[in-house]
Each structure stands twice: as C-alpha cells, then as structure tokens.
C-alpha cells in the first residue's frame, strides 16, 4: 500500500501533526459572509466563557474578585454576541451574573463596593444600558436593565464634586483609595455616555441636562480639548486640574465619542454632530494606524512594547462595540466605520491560533497569534467580531422606550446607596490590600515565567 513502510514512530509523529493541525486552525473568516463571521464570533466568545466559573457549583455569579469590573466586559460580549447572531447560548448565564452583582440595584455590591472606582461601577451600568437597548429580556422578579443603569446614574451624580475644579467625578469613590485625588476621563466620560444613553432611551430631560453638564465640565479642563479633540487621561485636584496626564487610551476617546453620538441622535443639534465628527476623526486616525494598513485597531500606547495589562487589553473590544452602535445611530458615519470594524475583526480572528485551542492574542495587526492569551483577549476579539456583523443588518439599532424598548423604568433606583461616599461602608483593611497585592505578585510572576518560557522555549 505504501511505497515505503513507515516506522511506528514516524506514524506516531504524523498522527500528532494531524491532531495539532485539526485543533489549531486559524479562525479563518470571510468578512463578507455572515455565517463565517458568526461562527468565528461563536468560537471567540466560547473561549471567553471558558474562563468563567460563576455558574458552576461553588462559583459566585458575575464575580471576578480581584478584577470586578471585568465581569461587565464579559457580559457585554455575550450580550452583543446574542444581539448580532441571535444565538441564545449564553443568555441565562448573562442574566444571572448581571443580577447577582447588582447590589441594591446600582452595581455597588457589598463584597466589592468598598474599593471600587466610579469607572468600575459605570461599566456595569453601561452593560445594563446595552441590555435595555438591545431588548435583552428583563428578568422577572429581578432588577430591570434600565433601572440598573438609572441606579448607577443616580449614585454617581450624588458624587459630583463641585468643591474641586468646579465639578467632575473623582476617579475613586473613597478617600482611602489611591486615585481619590484624581479626576479622570473614563469616570467622567462613562457618566457622560450613560447620561446620554438614558436621555435618548427615556426622553427625560434630567439625563440630557447631566450629559451637557459633564461634557461642559470636561471641556473646561485639560481632559477634553474641543479644538484638537485630544482626550487626556487624568487631572489632579491638588493642582486645580490645571495640567493633564496625557496618556492616549482608546476608551477615553470612545467614551466621549459615543455619548456625543447618542446626544446627536437624541437632540439632532449640529453642535453634537460637530463633536461626533471631531472625535471620530481623531479616534480613527490614532487607533487604526496607517502603518498597519489603516483599518486594524491597535491600543497604541501599550501594544508595541507588549505592556498592555488586562484592563487595557479590553479597550479595543469596548471601542469596536461602541463604533458599531455609533454607525447605526449616526448613519452618516457608517461608511467611515464599517471598514475599520471589518479590518479589525479579520485581523483579530487571525490572532486566534494560540495554545493549541484557538486562544486569541493581543496585537491584532500581526495577523497571527502573538503569544498572549486570556479572558480579556477572548472578550475583545469576540466583541470586534460581533460588531463586524454590522454589515449584515442582523442587529437592530439600539431602541428607546418609544421604539420598542420595554425594560421598565425606575428613575429613583439606587437611592439607598446614594450616600455611598460618606465612608459608612466597611473600609478596605490593610490585610485585604496586602492579600490582593500578594495575589497580583504571584500571578504576575507566573505570567512572566510563562511568557518567558513561550519565547525562550519557542
Ligand atoms: C486554551 O488553553 C488554555 C491553557 O490551558 C486555557 O486556559 C483556555 O481556557 C483554553 N481555551 C479554550 C477555548 O479551550
Ligand atoms: C455554565 O455556563 C456555561 C456557558 O453557558 C455552560 O457551558 C455550563 O454548562 C454552565 N454550567 C452549569 C453548571 O450550568
Ligand atoms: C459575596 O460573598 C459571599 C461569600 O463569599 C457570596 O456568598 C456572595 O454570593 C457574594 N456576593 C456577590 C454579589 O458577589
Ligand atoms: C437616530 O437613530 C435611528 C436608529 O435608531 C436612526 O434611524 C436615525 O436616523 C437617527 N437619527 C439621526 C438624527 O441621526
Ligand atoms: C426624570 O428623571 C428624574 C431624575 O432621575 C426623576 O426625578 C424624574 O421623576 C424623572 N421624570 C420622569 C417623568 O420619569
């Protein structure tokens, strides 16, 4: 049968090769084929959920103890996956986790609330807002998605701090937290975006007044320059918010851009259109670098030197998700945005050949796996792939209460936690902090070792 009789070991080797190649196929996609993009998204989100044990025996739904906000990012990926593909596989586990972490209806759950930042909380609020806008069914006897977004809004505006820098949210909520003296873009941009989305969904002027107020305050500081459209990362109360930490992160741009898009859709005022166009132009120029062809998103500050931490790895997923919604609510941006989503999704999928099980990497523009893997990598790729389905019209534009949205409203949600910055909650103890720090050190050590092994070994 064979021209030569292969030895047993050669056969064995062949079998190993066959097994390897059938496992590690690149997620090859035809970006213009709906089924192809859908199945790639399915593979990426499956890989993200592999890191989740909240629904298993002994697990706590939605809990990621030392990175609590990331639960909101995981569930944003499952929500978007359902929205664009219609596949309900992860719906019940998503509802369960998003309800479990709700605290008193405002995402300040007692286990974590004493060391949260405003940004951590608002990302859960934004995921709940997304659920309402895509008509993800409310849970019976649970908090409605809309009310959770309202609860976050209510507790955050209660923290608006006019005694320093003329307004603004601080980064952290409690005085004992490092970062309490900072006012930063993501906390304020997150509240701005939430207010704008609530304004559009409910048509209640309180929310649009707050969106105006947060925007105006931000633009009065070095955080947001409404001529060059530079979005800085942070300012400090100690120098009166006069100078800026100008690190360039995509989600800071995306947070304000998205809120501006919702405000334009809601008000149809040309000033909001100008802001959308200004921020969109800079965002697309900066984070879809020409040197990678101009259509593939890159977190430019951390990717070249491979310094991205878990938070930063998630930004591309957030921003591509937001861009997908912007293209639907500001139709004039669609032609500009679609090629960026498609180019990013295509490259992102090609990064998913890692670990022998299609794990995705960090740097999409390499068009191959870059040696990294983790839940964050999976989430970002899943969100980019789902968002590239914009092209097929399978996901409707975000709804409002007058265009089919049914999530029930509770404008007073979260009231019982509105004083949550008065220090009554259990302060974090030195023991807790040391514990968390040690975990981080051990984890980073293991991680570094593993990466070193990958590079030296490979
Ligand atoms: C791939 O393998 C890694 C390392 O064992 C694991 O952590 C991850 O969950 C796996 N992913 C999938 C999709 O099986
Ligand atoms: C937890 O959810 C995942 C993803 O939906 C599912 O595969 C798994 O079977 C669930 N586990 C339990 C115990 O229900
Ligand atoms: C808080 O911690 C307790 C004890 O581990 C756990 O039973 C509970 O489910 C946790 N709640 C949340 C919201 O994570
Ligand atoms: C607002 O969004 C809807 C989609 O929900 C879109 O049809 C409409 O054209 C948008 N309005 C403006 C002013 O862009
Ligand atoms: C509008 O929102 C404000 C602030 O949450 C609330 O007090 C008011 O009752 C809301 N109005 C309506 C009509 O829902």
């Amino acid at each position: 049968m064979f021209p030569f009789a292969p030895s047993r070991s050669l056969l064995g080797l062949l079998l190993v090769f066959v097994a390897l190649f059938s496992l590690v196929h690149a997620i090859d996609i035809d970006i213009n084929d709906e089924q192809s993009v859908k199945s790639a998204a399915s593979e990426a989100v499956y890989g993200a959920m592999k890191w989740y044990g909240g629904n298993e025996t002994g697990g706590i739904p939605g809990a990621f103890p030392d990175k609590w906000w990331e639960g909101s990012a995981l569930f944003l990926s499952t929500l978007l996956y359902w929205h664009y593909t219609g596949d309900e596989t992860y719906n019940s586990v998503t509802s369960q986790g998003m309800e479990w972490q709700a605290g008193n209806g405002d995402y300040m759950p007692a286990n974590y609330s004493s060391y949260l930042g405003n940004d951590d909380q608002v990302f859960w609020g934004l995921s709940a807002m997304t659920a309402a806008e895509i008509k993800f069914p409310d849970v019976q006897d649970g908090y409605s998605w809309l009310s959770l977004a309202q609860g976050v809004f209510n507790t955050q505006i209660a923290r608006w701090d006019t005694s320093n820098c003329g307004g603004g949210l601080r980064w952290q909520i409690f005085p004992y937290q490092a970062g309490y003296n900072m006012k930063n873009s993501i906390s304020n941009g997150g509240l701005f975006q939430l207010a704008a989305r609530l304004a559009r969904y409910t048509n209640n002027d309180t929310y649009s007044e707050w969106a105006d107020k947060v925007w105006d305050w931000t633009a009065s500081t070095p955080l947001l320059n409404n001529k060059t459209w530079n979005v800085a990362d942070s300012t400090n109360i100690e120098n009166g918010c006069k100078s800026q930490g100008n690190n360039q992160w995509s989600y800071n741009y995306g947070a304000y851009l998205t809120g501006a898009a919702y405000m334009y859709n809601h008000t149809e005022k040309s000033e909001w259109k100008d802001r959308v166009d200004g921020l969109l132009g800079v965002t697309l120029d900066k984070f879809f670098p020409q040197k990678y062809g101009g259509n593939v998103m890159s977190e430019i500050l951390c990717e070249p030197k491979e310094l991205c931490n878990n938070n930063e790895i998630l930004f591309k997923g957030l921003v591509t998700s937001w861009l997908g919604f912007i293209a639907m609510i500001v139709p004039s941006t669609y032609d500009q945005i679609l090629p960026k989503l498609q180019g990013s999704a295509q490259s992102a999928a090609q990064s998913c050949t890692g670990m022998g099980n299609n794990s995705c990497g960090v740097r999409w523009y390499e068009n191959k796996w870059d040696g990294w893997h983790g839940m964050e990598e999976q989430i970002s790729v899943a969100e980019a792939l789902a968002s590239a389905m914009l092209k097929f019209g399978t996901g409707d534009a975000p709804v409002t209460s007058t265009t089919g949205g049914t999530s029930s409203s509770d404008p007073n949600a979260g009231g019982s936690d509105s004083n949550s910055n008065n220090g009554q909650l259990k302060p974090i103890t030195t023991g807790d902090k040391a514990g968390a720090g040690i975990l981080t050190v051990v984890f980073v050590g293991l991680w570094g070792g593993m990466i070193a092994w990958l590079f030296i070994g490979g």
Side-chain angles (χ1 to χ4, degrees):
M1 270 174 78
F2 290 100
F4 67 95
S7 72
R8 199 175 267 258
S9 61
L10 200 61
L11 249 184
L13 208 65
L14 265 174
L15 281 178
V16 169
F17 263 86
V18 170
L20 269 178
F21 276 98
S22 50
L23 275 174
V24 194
H25 60 97
I27 307 189
D28 265 327
I29 56 171
D30 175 352
I31 201 69
N32 291 309
D33 179 77
E34 184 180 331
Q35 273 314 314
S36 170
V37 182
K38 177 177 172 177
S39 67
S42 159
E43 201 156 343
V45 81
Y46 171 83
M49 288 303 287
K50 274 264 175 189
W51 296 87
Y52 179 69
N55 62 334
E56 307 289 338
T57 313
I60 302 172
F64 290 93
D66 51 359
K67 46 181 188 183
W68 179 75
W69 87 273
E70 291 195 21
S72 74
L74 177 64
F75 296 134
L76 181 64
S77 75
T78 53
L79 286 170
L80 293 170
Y81 174 68
W82 169 71
H83 180 59
Y84 286 110
T85 70
D87 179 346
E88 297 176 359
T89 302
Y90 306 107
N91 284 15
S92 58
V93 70
T94 300
S95 297
Q96 182 198 35
M98 289 183 65
E99 290 289 333
W100 198 271
Q101 294 303 321
N104 296 320
D106 52 13
Y107 288 116
M108 289 290 288
N111 288 357
Y112 311 106
S113 56
S114 52
Y115 46 94
L116 295 185
N118 283 304
D119 48 356
D120 299 309
Q121 186 197 16
V122 85
F123 277 115
W124 283 90
L126 291 170
S127 287
M129 191 71 228
T130 304
E133 290 174 343
I134 64 177
K135 299 199 275 181
F136 189 63
D138 273 354
V139 176
Q140 280 204 330
D141 306 322
Y143 295 108
S144 73
W145 306 126
L146 177 60
S147 76
L148 284 165
Q150 292 169 312
V152 171
F153 171 85
N154 288 335
T155 49
Q156 295 216 329
I157 59 170
R159 300 182 196 125
W160 188 257
D161 169 37
T162 47
S163 47
N164 297 284
C165 311
L169 281 185
R170 293 169 181 264
W171 176 19
Q172 300 297 327
I173 300 174
F174 302 104
Y176 50 79
Q177 292 171 298
Y180 182 69
N181 281 340
M182 292 169 83
K183 294 194 171 177
N184 65 343
S185 281
I186 198 56
S187 296
N188 288 284
L191 174 60
F192 165 65
Q193 186 187 131
L194 184 64
R197 292 170 76 164
L198 283 168
R200 176 176 176 273
Y201 191 100
T202 65
N203 201 27
N204 178 332
D205 289 342
T206 304
Y207 300 120
S208 47
E209 284 158 16
W210 269 97
D212 280 328
K213 180 166 167 164
V214 183
W215 175 279
D216 291 344
W217 176 79
T218 313
S220 80
T221 72
L223 290 175
L224 172 64
N225 184 319
N226 57 15
K227 304 268 177 333
T228 64
W229 303 108
N230 186 76
V231 182
D233 189 61
S234 54
T235 56
N236 206 305
I237 288 172
E238 279 147 20
N239 73 0
C241 302
K242 291 287 175 247
S243 62
Q244 55 182 322
N246 199 30
N247 279 346
Q248 299 288 292
W249 295 116
S250 65
Y251 77 154
N252 288 329
Y253 285 80
Y256 286 99
L257 166 59
T258 307
Y262 275 83
M263 285 304 282
Y264 176 59
N265 188 272
H266 178 53
T267 64
E268 298 190 21
K269 284 192 186 152
S270 65
E271 65 177 5
W272 284 113
K273 181 65 164 42
D274 295 342
R275 293 163 178 175
V276 171
D277 290 340
L279 282 171
L280 182 64
V282 172
T283 303
L284 297 185
D285 272 357
K286 203 179 271 283
F287 298 101
F288 296 77
Q290 283 303 330
K291 65 178 162 184
Y292 310 135
N295 286 331
V296 182
M297 186 166 181
S298 172
E299 198 59 53
I300 53 171
L301 195 57
C302 64
E303 287 184 9
K305 293 192 169 154
E306 296 194 67
L307 293 173
C308 301
N309 67 25
N310 282 340
N311 296 335
E312 294 152 12
I313 292 168
L314 288 164
F315 298 167
K316 295 201 296 295
L318 287 170
V319 173
T320 49
S321 303
W322 291 336
L323 286 172
F325 277 36
I326 293 168
M328 292 191 272
I329 61 173
V330 185
S332 63
T333 64
Y334 182 96
D335 289 343
Q336 236 178 318
I337 288 174
L338 182 66
K340 311 285 178 191
L341 292 181
Q342 288 195 309
S344 297
Q346 176 109 44
S347 292
Q350 286 175 13
S351 84
C352 301
T353 56
M355 306 299 288
N357 65 8
N358 292 323
S359 288
C360 304
V362 173
R363 285 164 297 163
W364 300 345
Y365 60 80
E366 296 201 342
N367 296 311
K368 62 178 170 59
W369 186 52
D370 66 354
W372 291 72
H373 82 295
M375 180 177 80
E376 297 76 11
E377 286 83 340
Q378 296 300 136
I379 292 174
S380 263
V381 173
E383 290 173 346
L385 282 162
S387 301
M389 295 190 72
L390 175 69
K391 154 102 178 167
F392 312 118
T394 48
D396 291 337
V399 297
T400 70
S401 64
T402 55
T403 61
T406 54
S407 190
S408 59
S409 174
D410 177 4
N412 300 315
S416 59
D417 275 348
S418 61
N419 293 327
S420 51
N421 59 346
N422 67 2
Q424 279 174 4
L425 285 167
K426 165 178 134 332
I428 191 166
T429 64
T430 319
D432 290 339
K433 260 192 186 152
I438 287 163
L439 267 180
T440 311
V441 169
V442 169
F443 183 71
V444 168
L446 277 174
W447 184 256
M450 186 146 173
I451 295 294
W453 173 80
L454 277 171
F455 279 97
I456 296 162

